[in-house]
Amino acid sequence: VYFTNGLCQASSQCDFCHLPHPKRAAHLDKRHRDLMKAMPYDQRVRIVLPILCQKALQLDSSPETSRLLDAIGEPRVPPPSNAGPGGLQEPSFMAPMGPAEPISRKSEHMLTSALRCLSLRSLIVSLNRAPAGKRQQKAIDDLLHHLRLQSRRLAALV
């Protein structure tokens, strides 16, 4: 293609295919996955939610989508202790996480850039992997279900 337009310097000796090809889905690299894994839910939401809102509202700008996005962003209220019903000690992974270690502005910017390349579903899944409160977890599940229904409705119209 570039050869026929005179844009390839190698001319007919070029072994590179200049035709566009489908790209594989974007994924976070190991550094970004580790960074996300180390973040508590509240910090993860602060970074992911603006991108998630933009993509979700492009698909469906209904009040229900806005309500679900707001519910995901509600601050998590940690329980007063990690004692369960009847005074039993809950497992340590159920206890509220401590304050997050701050990440550098550069790391946050690089992570944000990588997150913008992810699909809407991948963004929701990235939130789903952080320990969230029951209300936020339900809002994440409800948003995923709601957006699936909306995308099926749109596909049926096409």
Side-chain angles (χ1 to χ4, degrees):
V1 172
Y2 288 93
F3 168 69
T4 58
N5 291 339
L7 300 175
C8 182
Q9 299 297 325
S11 131
S12 63
Q13 305 303 319
C14 182
D15 290 333
F16 181 75
C17 176
H18 293 283
L19 296 174
H21 297 281
K23 295 181 181 178
R24 74 183 270 261
H27 298 283
L28 296 178
D29 63 18
K30 182 169 176 38
R31 178 186 49 201
H32 293 131
R33 288 191 309 268
D34 289 346
L35 192 60
M36 291 283 283
K37 188 185 286 187
M39 285 182 197
Y41 179 79
D42 297 334
Q43 187 178 15
R44 190 180 292 208
V45 165
R46 183 183 60 78
I47 293 172
V48 173
L49 193 59
I51 301 164
L52 180 62
C53 287
Q54 180 185 17
K55 290 185 179 222
L57 293 172
Q58 284 175 350
L59 177 66
D60 175 38
S61 58
S62 71
E64 178 65 7
T65 300
S66 296
R67 184 190 67 75
L68 292 168
L69 289 166
D70 288 343
I72 290 170
E74 286 179 8
R76 189 171 66 139
V77 179
S81 74
N82 64 342
L88 297 174
Q89 190 82 0
E90 290 189 1
S92 60
F93 67 86
M94 296 293 288
M97 298 180 77
E101 259 190 55
I103 62 173
S104 70
R105 290 174 74 110
K106 181 180 178 183
S107 293
E108 185 173 337
H109 177 72
M110 289 174 58
L111 178 60
T112 302
S113 296
L115 289 169
R116 282 192 184 106
C117 296
L118 294 180
S119 68
L120 181 58
R121 182 183 179 281
S122 294
L123 282 171
I124 295 171
V125 168
S126 74
L127 277 182
N128 223 358
R129 290 188 176 146
K134 288 183 181 181
R135 283 193 335 236
Q136 289 87 356
Q137 189 63 52
K138 180 166 176 18
I140 292 168
D141 294 340
D142 290 349
L143 178 65
L144 189 56
H145 178 74
H146 175 73
L147 292 175
R148 278 185 186 141
L149 290 176
Q150 291 305 100
S151 64
R152 286 183 187 142
R153 286 185 192 133
L154 289 173
L157 294 174
V158 176

